[in-house]
Structures are given as C-alpha cells and as structure tokens.
Amino acid sequence: MFGTSKLLNINDATKRIGNFFKLPIQLFHGVPYPELALFDNSELADMMGDCGRYNADEEAVRDASIEDLDADTIKLYMMERFSPVFRGKNIDELTMKDYSLDQMAGFVIKGATIERLLRNLRFIRPDGQMTKAAMMLFGKYTQRWLPEITAKCI
C-alpha cells in the first residue's frame, strides 16, 4: 500500500494559504502522512533558526542602500561600539558631527569606508544588499522597508 506511493517534491507539495504554509509531514521510513500540516510563518522561521541555517536579521532588504540609513544613528552606534578608538582621538558625541561617516570608519579601520565597515559588521551582505538588522537599527524610514516588522518592549 505505502510501497507504491511517491514522495512529492517539497516545492510541488507546499502551498501558501494566507500567512500559513501547508507542508507534508514525513513519518518513519519516508512514508508521507496522508494529511497536511499548517505552519505559521513564525513557526517555520523558528524551526529553520533551530537548524542553524536561518538568521532573520541577515535577510536582504531589496533596493535599500546606505542613503536610507541615518548617519547620526550610525555615528552613535560607532561611538559606543568602538569607544576606545574615539576616546583616543578625543572625539565625543559633540565633536563627532564634524566628521563624515567615512572619516569615522577610517579611524576604526585605517583607510576604510563606511560601506566596508558595515560589511565587516555584517550590516551589508556579501551581495551588497542591506540586511534587516541594518534597516531596523539605522533606517530612516524603517516602516517603508519593513512594514511587517514590529518592536515590542518588555
């Protein structure tokens, strides 16, 4: 009875229903269960995260660029993250406005641009696209780029 059944390709068997995905459940020995299970997108993301292969904050934000990030917020982040570097150069929150992002990045890594520094910090992906983390932390208009994201303070 089960020996003749074929396993479906996951792309063929997966169906989107609103915010849910229908995925086949596999039992022992690769025998498909006759019913389909519903997974919410967040459950699916949690399962993928548990596997160590999915990091939601590293997803790309299409068409976003460095110009969509707030320079003052990036500077404040850099002042906190690399405080020993800037203290050594006598740069504080008041004097940081005198420097461009590229100049400040150059203080952290000699000759670096802000794009290179953001890449090293994984706020820009290897393919050149902004990450969700960059947009959430530094974005000027976060809701334009990530309308589905909400922050909850507990």
Side-chain angles (χ1 to χ4, degrees):
M1 159 169 132
F2 287 112
T4 59
S5 66
K6 258 172 117 176
L7 291 179
L8 295 173
N9 181 339
I10 193 73
N11 293 329
D12 298 334
T14 304
K15 294 183 181 168
R16 189 178 177 104
I17 304 170
N19 285 336
F20 294 92
F21 286 98
K22 250 187 173 177
L23 298 173
I25 296 176
Q26 300 292 321
L27 293 180
F28 298 108
H29 307 294
V31 177
Y33 191 74
E35 295 181 19
L36 296 175
L38 286 177
F39 291 95
D40 183 289
N41 286 349
S42 62
E43 284 181 288
L44 192 57
D46 286 342
M47 287 187 288
M48 292 172 73
D50 290 341
C51 294
R53 295 182 187 156
Y54 175 74
N55 295 317
D57 57 342
E58 292 181 3
E59 280 186 24
V61 179
R62 290 184 55 192
D63 301 324
S65 68
I66 290 178
E67 287 77 35
D68 298 308
L69 304 180
D70 183 62
D72 290 336
T73 307
I74 295 172
K75 287 179 181 181
L76 287 172
Y77 171 81
M78 290 172 62
M79 292 291 296
E80 179 68 28
R81 177 82 160 75
F82 305 106
S83 58
V85 172
F86 294 110
R87 268 196 309 253
K89 302 227 181 257
N90 293 323
I91 298 172
D92 59 21
E93 279 106 18
L94 297 174
T95 59
M96 74 177 186
K97 295 191 184 283
D98 298 336
Y99 299 96
S100 71
L101 284 173
D102 284 334
Q103 287 174 317
M104 290 185 72
F107 293 143
V108 175
I109 301 173
K110 187 173 176 134
T113 63
I114 190 61
E115 183 176 347
R116 179 175 167 208
L117 183 63
L118 291 175
R119 277 182 193 271
N120 288 352
L121 295 170
R122 297 175 71 178
F123 289 120
I124 298 178
R125 294 165 37 112
D127 62 8
Q129 293 183 319
M130 288 290 135
T131 63
K132 282 187 176 181
M135 195 54 64
M136 289 174 61
L137 289 172
F138 311 124
K140 291 178 189 173
Y141 306 106
T142 305
Q143 286 303 109
R144 174 182 178 216
W145 299 101
L146 304 169
E148 72 280 3
I149 301 292
T150 57
K152 292 182 184 177
C153 298
I154 299 174

